[in-house]
Amino acid sequence: MKGWNGRILRIDLSKGKVTHQEFDAEFAAKFVGGRGFAAKILWDETKPGVPPLSPDNLLIMAAGPLTGLALPSSGKMVIAAKSPLTGGYGDGNLGSLAAVHLRRAGFDAIVVSGVAHSPRYISIVDESVQVEDAKDFWGMGAFETESILKRKHGKTVGVLTIGQGGENLVRYASVVSQEGRSGGRPGMGAVMGSKKLKAVVVEGNKEIPVADGSAIREIGAEGYKNIVSNPNYSFFMRQGTMATVEWSQTASILPAYNFRESVFDKADAIGGESAEKIKVAQKGCPNCNMICGGIIEDHENNRSELDYENVVMLGSNIGLSDLKQIAHLNRMADDYGLDTISLGNTIGFAMEASEKRLVQERLEWGSYEDAVRLIDEIVHGKNLGTLLAKGTKATADEIGHGSEKWAMNVKGLEMSAYNCHSAPGMALGLSTSSIGAHHKESWVVGWEINFDRHSYDSQKAAKVIEHQRIRGGIMECLVTCKFPYADMGLTVPYYVRLFEAATGIKLSIDDINALGDRIYSLIRAFWVREYGPRWNRTLDYPPARWFEEAPQKGPERGVKLDRQGYDRLLNNYYEMRGWDHNGVPLSSTLRQQGLADVAQTIGSMQRIG
Ligand code: SF4
């Protein structure tokens, strides 16, 4: 088998047992890697209803067949588990040298089970795997932990770590690497913390087996060259994703004041132009030549890596317009190991709850001091932070008074930085994402605005699925970054050539779509299995605020989503996916997608129900 190492590293922290599991070509071809491997392993190996923070949940770190190869943006991996934030499938990708080293160590994935009796970290040097004492690191931030581990194991090793957020089981704690790369929004850091696993250190020194090494080099070089010669390249290198702030403001989808407004008076102060003026450096993931992380210094001269999502969620969404202050909040989140999107939502929700006198704490919109205090309280479980550490949905459930209508989440995962009260297609994409309200799998809003912004045309459902198949399907399985495809003109046929060079397997466009559909049905089945009788189609709805409260400012003021229109769009989506009226994959769909065992489980659940 070429393209894959064919081995998964298994670590049972309860028993301190390390094993190597081989997988066959059929598993590799059917689930490919990354998200595909993670979803399959979680489906097969976790007991239905497993508590996410229990030893029986699995923490999966999975690379794909393109990871680590000399080609654009191949330095990524997926971190997955059953989510403690949503109770469903959770994953996220991050760029890290750990991804490259894992493949070079001779593995395609790590599966961690059990719980250690005291803090541990895992050290991998090729075949040699040790579970080491991490008592000295417990209580440290992610940056210091990584720095110490690199001093001990070598500065070129890959490190994945959690901060105090993961240790203290904040439900949206993430896994961090390289001071700013962060992944696993739906609480993968908390799952890691629940296992008392502080970090994973990886060093690999082997060749990654590929079908045609010279073709990989040639096609990889062609990709790098095409990226650099793309007309968007120099601007992207200057501003990365930050230019999206100005775009979102013009398009009236920029979240402000907990998504109450879709424009922000001070958007210019937090946009790409402002960030570019004070940018001091730039960094990115391994193997990437369009590094998108713009570094600025906060007011204490500490460096912070900014992108669109973290600036908006910790900026306009909480009414804050000082980029250096936003940079500091972002740095706190990265060091504590908290997802910035969920964190910004949670702070915005708390500020609105305070304004409405639903909580005792007095918080002011745009108050940097309040935000700093809340972040510390969230991480250390103090005052209102104890509740906010569980996420906006749980907080709204607790404080009541209709606050669930403006707790901006889907299935418990906080909303990405797009205010879609007047973009039904994007709202559908966010609401049907595999992990809850997340943008990365279907970014149809640019197309939608040019198409017919306010319509509920079924073409929007088709466009969401088209995006999900590529961005949430094949790319999350390969695992590779979407930006070269989305912004620099690398095409799906280009990735088909890379996949063939790596694995020797030639995929057709139909094969790619079938893979994406298989992964979406499998992940959807996981949600249905875990939610049981609680599962229903309203879980695929965006928050009530978008249906009931229109923004008061900007060109899209007064516009809100139409519930009947959204319902029709969701029906179109389900029909195109081969799912029933509640968004449950039909037995015939699952069988046709090669998931007969899943069909049996879902079918028997429905018979019992
Ligand atoms: Fe990482 Fe950005 Fe490069 Fe993508 S474009 S691989 S996110 S640095």
Side-chain angles (χ1 to χ4, degrees), residues 20-312:
H20 300 175
Q21 178 208 1
E22 302 207 337
F23 59 83
D24 60 22
E26 190 191 339
F27 173 82
K30 199 163 166 185
F31 298 100
V32 177
R35 161 175 278 183
F37 280 8
K40 173 68 173 156
I41 292 168
L42 281 172
W43 174 269
D44 282 350
E45 299 183 27
T46 54
K47 280 201 202 97
V50 62
L53 298 176
S54 75
D56 294 335
N57 197 7
L58 299 176
L59 179 69
I60 300 166
M61 301 166 170
L66 297 190
T67 305
L69 301 178
L71 49 91
S73 310
S74 63
K76 289 200 154 194
M77 69 198 302
V78 164
I79 315 271
K82 180 176 174 181
S83 162
L85 183 63
T86 67
Y89 175 82
D91 76 12
N93 72 46
L94 83 165
S96 168
L97 271 173
V100 177
H101 277 294
L102 179 66
R103 292 262 290 158
R104 294 178 74 94
F107 301 103
D108 297 300
I110 305 172
V111 178
V112 183
S113 57
V115 57
H117 57 80
S118 64
R120 290 281 184 266
Y121 75 95
I122 296 166
S123 160
I124 303 164
V125 184
D126 296 329
E127 303 289 320
S128 164
V129 180
Q130 309 291 332
V131 179
E132 311 241 22
D133 188 0
K135 279 201 276 300
D136 289 348
F137 312 126
W138 204 253
M140 272 184 195
F143 298 174
E144 190 180 5
T145 303
E146 177 160 355
S147 161
I148 292 174
L149 286 169
K150 281 187 164 167
R151 279 206 295 279
K152 182 169 177 194
H153 292 274
K155 62 180 182 208
T156 58
V157 298
V159 179
L160 301 166
T161 182
I162 56 171
Q164 299 94 328
E167 292 176 11
N168 296 336
L169 310 181
V170 176
R171 301 303 193 267
Y172 40 91
S174 56
V175 177
V176 182
S177 188
Q178 298 173 209
E179 294 198 11
R181 311 277 109 193
S182 169
R185 307 193 40 201
M188 279 41 308
V191 174
M192 196 157 154
S194 74
K195 297 187 177 305
K196 291 215 164 33
L197 179 61
K198 181 67 179 176
V200 177
V201 183
V202 204
E203 181 189 338
N205 301 292
K206 302 181 192 172
E207 283 289 310
I208 298 169
V210 292
D212 187 342
S214 64
I216 285 284
R217 282 188 292 280
E218 196 181 303
I219 304 168
E222 177 191 320
Y224 284 123
K225 197 166 146 225
N226 287 346
I227 288 171
V228 172
S229 46
N230 188 284
N232 297 330
Y233 182 72
S234 64
F235 184 68
F236 189 90
M237 285 296 279
R238 276 171 35 212
Q239 296 198 2
T241 59
M242 287 293 294
T244 314
V245 174
E246 283 93 339
W247 184 86
S248 293
Q249 170 84 346
T250 307
S252 198
I253 52 167
L254 184 75
Y257 305 100
N258 193 32
F259 289 81
R260 222 153 47 183
E261 296 297 342
S262 57
V263 292
F264 183 49
D265 294 346
K266 297 171 185 159
D268 284 348
I270 63 166
E273 292 296 323
S274 296
E276 190 185 346
K277 284 186 193 128
I278 54 173
K279 188 169 87 171
V280 294
Q282 185 163 352
K283 70 179 206 190
C285 310
N287 296 352
C288 179
N289 70 335
M290 48 184 288
I291 48 176
C292 66
I295 312 284
I296 74 166
E297 288 179 344
D298 64 15
H299 50 279
E300 293 169 6
N301 298 325
N302 289 314
R303 293 187 163 202
S304 179
E305 183 179 338
L306 299 184
D307 69 20
Y308 170 74
E309 296 286 338
N310 55 38
V311 164
V312 170

